[in-house]
Amino acid sequence: MSKSNRTDSPGSDSQENANPENADTLRAAKCVPCEGGVPTLSRDEATELMKAIPDWELAADAKRISRTLKCRNFVDAVARINQISVLAEEEQHHPDLHLTGYRMLKIELTTHAIGGLSRNDFVVAAKIDPLLSQPSV
């Protein structure tokens, strides 16, 4: 089919395979409201998206992604939580944030409404990464 006759919609499989996601395309995206009824990403789809966010881990059940970091101290950890909370509110997609041992921060993303991963989780993860590479405020 010629390019001018393509009927693929944005985000359709054939277009995604032609232009794989990377961190920049994920960071440029906005989260799409999800109230359920949307299928979760398959393990293969999640594995492909993981290439764009190499510091994150895919859970064994492929229903969540997570990243853990050791902050300088308690104040640094809380400052990073606050930075992430502002981003989460802007995107209306909220990670689970766990602070343990006074400076170990674990960030978990899943789309609760569908019981697994959606593209939104990868969008937010890609947007969190630059926050974590900067000195905290």
Side-chain angles (χ1 to χ4, degrees), residues 73-85 105 136-137:
N73 52 42
F74 181 76
V75 172
D76 180 46
V78 171
R80 292 184 186 282
I81 289 171
N82 288 333
Q83 289 175 313
I84 294 167
S85 70
L105 177 59
S136 65
V137 290

Side-chain angles (χ1 to χ4, degrees), residues 6 8 11-21 44-45 48:
R6 268 185 94 142
D8 295 338
S12 70
D13 286 339
S14 61
Q15 192 171 27
E16 282 180 20
N17 291 338
N19 300 313
E21 299 270 13
D44 289 343
E45 291 168 321
E48 187 63 30

Side-chain angles (χ1 to χ4, degrees), residues 64-69 96-100 104-108:
R64 70 185 44 80
I65 55 175
S66 65
R67 181 171 174 187
T68 303
L69 68 145
D96 293 333
L97 302 170
H98 309 272
L99 178 57
T100 59
M104 293 301 296
L105 177 59
K106 183 173 185 178
I107 307 155
E108 291 185 314

Side-chain angles (χ1 to χ4, degrees), residues 25 43 49 57 66 74 101 119 132 134:
T25 60
R43 177 179 297 281
L49 285 166
E57 292 182 34
S66 65
F74 181 76
R119 186 169 180 271
L132 301 180
Q134 300 172 357

Side-chain angles (χ1 to χ4, degrees), residues 10-11 22 24 32 39 54 63 90 107 109 119 121:
N22 63 44
D24 290 333
V32 178
K63 291 187 176 192
E90 288 171 358
I107 307 155
L109 283 158
R119 186 169 180 271
D121 299 306

